[in-house]
Amino acid sequence: QVQLVESGGGLVQAGGSLRLSCAASGRTYIGYAMGWFRQAPGKEREFVSRINWSGTSTYYADSVLGRFTISRDNAEKTMYLQMNSLKPEDTAIYFCTSDLTGTGSKWSYWGQGTQVTVSS
């Protein structure tokens, strides 16, 4: 069992920055991928970014490419999402997730989410 806890959300003006964190605890699985999804009010949950175990492979949704950066510190069991040049359309609950297969396609554990609100 893996527990994930997000933090770092908040209210920011358009053009500002936030850094989200996702701390993992519980059973440790070597090789797992991690990712970020988000869900805006009235919309379905959507993919934001993912990162492999070593941090050498990352992938982003087109909507955040060039503005968001995903990273991880395996020693600290923590993943990050640096969000720059935020836009009102980035407003959503952000969830972190892990894929124990390492493929980045089978997300099995989810955090409770952290709210990000970007004002115009």
Side-chain angles (χ1 to χ4, degrees):
Q1 192 78 2
V2 176
Q3 291 80 43
L4 302 173
V5 178
E6 304 93 338
S7 62
L11 174 64
V12 64
Q13 289 187 334
S17 298
L18 282 174
R19 189 194 195 200
L20 305 184
S21 299
C22 173
S25 62
R27 183 176 175 181
T28 300
Y29 296 87
I30 303 299
Y32 63 93
M34 296 190 76
W36 290 97
F37 283 70
R38 67 187 182 185
Q39 187 167 18
K43 295 187 177 181
E44 294 187 351
R45 189 172 298 189
E46 66 175 4
F47 168 80
V48 175
S49 181
R50 69 170 187 256
I51 187 169
N52 69 343
W53 166 256
S54 63
T56 56
S57 177
T58 59
Y59 189 76
Y60 299 91
D62 288 344
S63 59
V64 306
L65 186 64
R67 300 187 297 120
F68 291 9
T69 302
I70 192 171
S71 61
R72 65 189 294 172
D73 182 337
N74 290 336
E76 296 295 327
K77 297 182 182 180
T78 302
M79 175 180 64
Y80 304 96
L81 186 68
Q82 177 66 43
M83 305 186 296
N84 298 329
S85 302
L86 283 162
K87 304 175 181 179
E89 50 263 44
D90 294 318
T91 295
I93 300 174
Y94 284 70
F95 300 89
C96 71
T97 181
S98 63
D99 168 14
L100 304 185
T101 69
T103 62
S105 62
K106 297 182 179 180
W107 306 107
S108 51
Y109 294 97
W110 294 84
Q112 293 299 307
T114 185
Q115 176 70 49
V116 172
T117 303
V118 184
S119 63
S120 57

